[in-house]
Amino acid sequence: MSKVGAQLSVVIPMYNEIRALPTLIEQLTRQFPTAETEFFLVDDGSTDDTPGLAVHLTKGDDRFEVLHLPKNLGKGAALRAGIARTTADTVLFMDADLSTSLDDLDAFLEQLKSFDIVIGSRAIAGSVVKRSNTLRSLMGGSFNVLMRLSTGLKVRDSQCGFKAFRGDVARLIFTFSENDRFTFDPEILRIGVALGYSITEVPVTWVAGDYSAIRPVRDSVRAALDLIPLRIRTRRRRIQDLASRTIVPTPVALAQKNEHENLG
């Protein structure tokens, strides 16, 4: 059950995260000690007992809800399922392996006072990247160059799994997202831009996980191919037309809201 009155919703996709779960749950409960945070742990069809362990480790803490997809659909699908369950004014999603440090989380979320979407970045000044091998860095950098060229997005690192949104903005954007796998990140950012929402990139400290399921060459090639139809599918006119016909309310962009309040 989601926590009524929660101010922050944290959504974490999981796939075969048996090794990471004990540390994850321990750090989450230490980092967020109050009842103002709700957690959605979304199992993406793990082949181990990730969902069972997640239920066991969070038993008795009603801030946690464990969701289980019947088969492995992809990170985008897992996040879509989790974000649909959120209720808070702020939504954060992050990776189960804690690759992005939570030490500067308060400052990160503070940016939502000025922007609709805040994304963690490993590619701008101030970021710290540890234990990333040369191949992974090369493939990631090449993908981000291709991503910017093919989508028109101005961000330097679309793929960091650490992003925060105004809650109503997140729930609307993910309603329109379709990609289940690696290009869901640029897809949701493109949807946000099409709807007029502001995005800022914030440097993070990121440490490559010991048990990452990412396969740099194959996954980068697959993601690059997925970029081809992305720009057409997320063109402004199409997204705005979808928004005009959905029953989900379209939140006013923060910049417009502030301008209206200033004029008032």
Side-chain angles (χ1 to χ4, degrees):
M1 297 291 291
S2 59
K3 185 71 176 178
V4 176
Q7 296 181 19
L8 172 65
S9 299
V10 180
V11 181
I12 304 173
M14 308 182 299
Y15 180 70
N16 292 350
E17 299 290 356
I18 285 283
R19 296 183 184 93
L21 268 173
T23 301
L24 171 68
I25 301 304
E26 188 276 331
Q27 184 156 340
L28 289 178
T29 53
R30 186 175 69 248
Q31 182 83 25
F32 306 98
T34 71
E36 296 177 345
T37 304
E38 59 181 7
F39 304 96
F40 298 92
L41 309 179
V42 189
D43 176 62
D44 185 23
S46 293
T47 57
D48 62 13
D49 194 30
T50 289
L53 180 60
V55 170
H56 172 72
L57 292 174
T58 61
K59 186 177 181 180
D61 190 337
D62 64 0
R63 298 177 303 162
F64 286 86
E65 181 174 342
V66 180
L67 307 177
H68 179 61
L69 302 186
K71 62 180 181 178
N72 179 236
L73 297 175
K75 187 176 178 180
L79 284 170
R80 194 178 303 119
I83 286 173
R85 294 285 298 148
T86 64
T87 65
D89 289 339
T90 299
V91 170
L92 168 75
F93 72 72
M94 56 180 284
D95 293 331
D97 64 0
L98 295 170
S99 53
T100 304
S101 172
L102 299 179
D103 290 346
D104 299 318
L105 180 61
D106 289 343
F108 185 85
L109 296 179
E110 186 77 10
Q111 294 294 319
L112 287 173
K113 292 182 178 179
S114 303
F115 298 90
D116 301 292
I117 303 168
V118 182
I119 68 174
S121 177
R122 299 159 294 185
I124 62 175
S127 61
V128 178
V129 176
K130 301 177 181 179
R131 291 169 47 188
S132 182
N133 61 48
T134 302
L135 177 60
R136 183 168 186 159
S137 298
L138 178 62
M139 298 302 292
S142 299
F143 174 82
N144 276 298
V145 170
L146 181 60
M147 178 277 299
R148 290 195 296 275
L149 291 173
S150 60
T151 66
L153 290 168
K154 306 301 183 184
V155 301
R156 298 297 303 268
D157 181 10
S158 66
Q159 301 308 106
C160 182
F162 199 77
K163 294 180 174 67
F165 306 75
R166 289 170 48 206
D168 48 3
V169 169
R171 288 182 281 274
L172 178 67
I173 286 176
F174 275 85
T175 297
F176 301 142
S177 70
E178 300 175 28
N179 194 284
D180 291 338
R181 297 195 180 272
F182 298 104
T183 53
F184 83 89
D185 290 279
E187 180 189 50
I188 60 174
L189 297 179
R190 280 273 302 179
I191 293 170
V193 169
L195 293 171
Y197 298 126
S198 56
I199 301 172
T200 190
E201 219 169 344
V202 176
V204 295
T205 297
W206 184 88
V207 182
D210 292 325
Y211 308 106
S212 175
I214 298 292
R215 292 150 295 195
V217 177
R218 194 177 88 171
D219 292 341
S220 294
V221 171
R222 178 183 294 179
L225 292 175
D226 285 346
L227 286 172
I228 296 172
L230 178 68
R231 187 163 188 160
I232 296 174
R233 192 171 68 245
T234 57
R235 64 191 185 277
R236 186 182 302 271
R237 181 174 297 179
R238 177 177 182 268
I239 296 300
Q240 291 181 345
D241 181 59
L242 289 174
S244 70
R245 292 187 282 114
T246 184
I247 61 172
V248 179
T250 301
V252 176
L254 194 58
Q256 289 181 275
K257 182 179 179 181
N258 292 340
E259 181 180 358
H260 178 74
E261 289 176 352
N262 291 336
L263 290 174

